[in-house]
Amino acid sequence: MSNNVTFTEKLRSSGLRPTKQRIEICKLLFNRANTFHFTINDLNKLLNKTSEKKISLATIYNTVHAFKKKGYLKEISINSERSYFDTNVTNHHHFFDESNNELIDLDNKYVEKITISKSLPGKKIKSVEVLVKVANNN
Amino acid sequence: MSNNVTFTEKLRSSGLRPTKQRIEICKLLFNRANTFHFTINDLNKLLNKTSEKKISLATIYNTVHAFKKKGYLKEISINSERSYFDTNVTNHHHFFDESNNELIDLDNKYVEKITISKSLPGKKIKSVEVLVKVANNN
DNA sequence: AATTTAACTTATAATGATTCTAAACTAGTG
DNA sequence: CACTAGTTTAGAATCATTATAAGTTAAATT
Ligand SMILES: [Mn+2]
Ligand SMILES: [Mn+2]
Ligand SMILES: [Zn+2]
Ligand SMILES: [Zn+2]
């Protein structure tokens, strides 16, 4: 996703009507160079600044869940206080900075192949992800 | 921790009074051969079966948080639906079985050393943990 | 272009897990 | 036994999230 017309097409192609609320949210989430990690609360505050007319909190929840369901967002659980959403929907690794509660992508190319010499009978692996918790020095 | 007397001593030594509720919960959590992964709801249901007199839900919350604070339990976030607690408080890896929402320890010896060729300036690493999501075959 | 329909947005209410409160109880101290 | 600080508890409060249902809008149909 990159510009408004593309957002409109993208939404329509996945069976979601391109409402002005959804396009507004798309611009905010996907018009970015880098991955964006956010909580519902972050998004709500951002939209209050950015957006002309207020988007109701119910719509923000609806939209984020609709986007997650369509595969445009991924939910990441790091701690019980906050739930994060991620515009990078691939399987990937993260740093979590405990000093400021910030999630940061850790590209697969920086993590040497992970070899696991144990398997669970009758189960297949869906994903293997690393979480590196960090904090400020001293 | 292993038997009642030990629980009493252990609790006392960490500044927690060995009440019958706490010892009851200790027995349930720590008198086990293997690590135990549970939600507050799991624990509540288990205590209803096991325990003679009912332990109030507030006490279960209080106790789990007290044990976490003292370092006898670790909280694990896997998804936004449930928060798990873990009697294995070391840094370690997990399988998460999406077919039945079960958390399973993945011992460090089964995971080849994880090498990360990226660091964040001014930040130090607190933990590196792998989460392997699995599900039933076919 | 007007009509019709289903999808969507929204304010507001409901829900439910967790936390708080404050009164009764208990472990530990002497 | 008497005292104190810590603990348990039922019930109330909180708050993030979800549900409701009435109004609005996109888009298909005529
Ligand atoms: Mn959610
Ligand atoms: Mn908690
Ligand atoms: Zn990410
Ligand atoms: Zn574990």
Side-chain angles (χ1 to χ4, degrees):
Chain A
M1 297 199 184
S2 52
N3 64 57
N4 285 20
V5 178
T6 313
F7 291 144
T8 299
E9 287 165 2
K10 192 82 185 181
L11 288 169
R12 234 189 309 251
S13 80
S14 52
L16 296 173
R17 288 191 180 168
T19 63
K20 60 178 174 314
Q21 292 87 346
R22 285 173 177 166
I23 289 173
E24 196 70 27
I25 293 174
C26 278
K27 287 196 292 187
L28 216 148
L29 297 183
F30 305 116
N31 266 343
R32 295 176 177 263
N34 298 92
T35 337
F36 183 42
H37 298 100
F38 63 96
T39 64
I40 294 279
N41 186 46
D42 294 337
L43 182 55
N44 187 31
K45 282 190 293 191
L46 264 173
L47 284 166
N48 284 341
K49 290 184 211 153
T50 312
S51 184
E52 290 301 313
K53 310 143 195 73
K54 163 175 193 272
I55 298 181
S56 85
L57 188 55
T59 298
I60 296 173
Y61 274 99
N62 289 342
T63 302
V64 167
H65 288 138
F67 286 4
K68 179 186 173 188
K69 193 168 178 186
K70 292 297 180 181
Y72 302 142
L73 290 174
K74 183 180 180 178
E75 193 166 2
I76 313 272
S77 287
I78 299 296
N79 60 43
S80 48
E81 280 74 45
R82 265 166 274 277
S83 191
Y84 293 83
F85 291 88
D86 191 338
T87 58
N88 179 353
V89 296
T90 68
N91 292 338
H92 64 286
H93 313 299
H94 289 99
F95 288 109
F96 181 69
D97 186 344
E98 293 180 337
S99 304
N100 58 10
N101 288 320
E102 193 187 0
L103 248 193
I104 302 155
D105 274 358
L106 169 56
D107 198 284
N108 292 341
K109 73 186 170 204
Y110 298 119
V111 179
E112 218 167 83
K113 185 168 171 36
I114 294 164
T115 309
I116 296 167
S117 58
K118 191 194 183 191
S119 61
L120 298 176
K123 307 287 179 180
K124 66 168 164 306
I125 291 178
K126 312 292 279 185
S127 68
V128 177
E129 295 186 343
V130 176
L131 177 64
V132 182
K133 292 193 176 167
V134 303
N136 288 341
N137 280 324
N138 62 33
Chain B
M1 296 196 185
S2 51
N3 64 57
N4 285 18
V5 179
T6 314
F7 292 145
T8 299
E9 287 164 3
K10 191 82 184 180
L11 288 169
R12 232 185 316 246
S13 80
S14 52
L16 296 174
R17 288 191 181 168
T19 64
K20 62 179 173 313
Q21 292 87 344
R22 284 174 177 165
I23 289 173
E24 196 70 29
I25 293 173
C26 278
K27 287 196 293 189
L28 216 147
L29 296 183
F30 306 116
N31 266 344
R32 293 175 179 264
N34 298 91
T35 337
F36 183 43
H37 297 101
F38 63 96
T39 64
I40 295 279
N41 185 47
D42 294 337
L43 182 55
N44 187 31
K45 283 190 293 190
L46 264 173
L47 285 166
N48 284 340
K49 289 184 212 153
T50 312
S51 184
E52 290 300 314
K53 310 140 195 74
K54 165 174 191 274
I55 299 181
S56 84
L57 188 55
T59 298
I60 297 173
Y61 275 100
N62 289 342
T63 302
V64 167
H65 289 138
F67 286 4
K68 179 185 173 188
K69 193 169 179 187
K70 293 297 181 182
Y72 302 142
L73 289 174
K74 183 180 180 179
E75 192 167 3
I76 314 272
S77 287
I78 299 296
N79 60 44
S80 47
E81 280 75 45
R82 265 166 276 277
S83 192
Y84 293 83
F85 292 88
D86 192 338
T87 58
N88 178 353
V89 296
T90 67
N91 291 339
H92 64 287
H93 312 299
H94 288 99
F95 287 109
F96 181 68
D97 186 344
E98 294 181 336
S99 303
N100 58 9
N101 288 319
E102 193 187 0
L103 249 192
I104 303 155
D105 272 359
L106 169 56
D107 198 284
N108 291 342
K109 73 186 170 204
Y110 298 119
V111 180
E112 218 167 81
K113 184 167 171 37
I114 294 163
T115 309
I116 295 166
S117 57
K118 192 193 181 189
S119 61
L120 298 176
K123 308 286 178 180
K124 65 166 163 303
I125 291 178
K126 312 291 279 186
S127 68
V128 177
E129 296 185 342
V130 177
L131 177 63
V132 182
K133 291 192 177 167
V134 304
N136 289 341
N137 280 323
N138 65 33

